[in-house]
Amino acid sequence: MEDFLEKLQENQSKKVQEVRAIPPLVLAYIGDAIFEVYVRNHLITQTKMLVGAYHRDAIGYVKAQSQATIVRTLEAELSEEEWRVIKKGRNQKPATVPKNADLMDYKYATGFEALIGYLFYMGKTERLMEVMSRSMEILDKR
């Protein structure tokens, strides 16, 4: 586990040009995992329920439609740099689209996940936490 944590710290200290060279879908791949863990922790710290219920509720937060809602709601709060990352992720051609997701929602969700990955690798932990916290506020109001 210590090796894993050391690797995370190494990855977060990448230079700006190294992070900008990471393909958007790779940023989205790690962003998806980070957001999933954040959502699970959010649910566990907010409520007490069975694991199956946690899983069901987590799906409601991480599905493409929810992430697209986050992006559309946060748009005015994002910097130009953050919006650029979202657009790069959004504009990638997906290999597949989940059967229960609208294509545009899926693209915006990919952009959102790319932003999460980007903030993580840039070491912008405070901003990463702000974005994810705001995301929970947006989705909890539904």
Side-chain angles (χ1 to χ4, degrees), residues 8 15 20 22 27 30 47 53 68 70 86 89 125 129 133 138:
L8 283 178
K15 294 181 180 164
R20 288 188 176 148
I22 298 173
L27 292 174
I30 192 69
T47 59
I70 293 166
I86 287 174
T125 308
M129 297 308 289
S133 176
I138 291 164

Side-chain angles (χ1 to χ4, degrees), residues 82 114-125 127-128 131:
E82 291 167 342
L115 174 63
I116 298 299
Y118 178 80
L119 293 172
F120 172 75
Y121 280 128
M122 288 294 285
K124 296 184 176 187
T125 308
R127 180 61 177 151
L128 173 63
V131 169

Side-chain angles (χ1 to χ4, degrees), residues 7-49:
K7 289 287 184 198
L8 283 178
Q9 288 175 332
E10 283 175 26
N11 285 337
Q12 282 191 295
S13 63
K14 289 181 183 288
K15 294 181 180 164
V16 173
Q17 59 268 31
E18 288 179 285
V19 175
R20 288 188 176 148
I22 298 173
L25 292 178
V26 174
L27 292 174
Y29 178 72
I30 192 69
D32 174 58
I34 293 165
F35 190 63
E36 173 83 23
V37 170
Y38 188 87
V39 165
R40 288 179 182 202
N41 183 64
H42 173 75
L43 292 172
I44 289 168
T45 59
Q46 298 299 313
T47 59
K48 300 239 184 281
M49 58 180 91

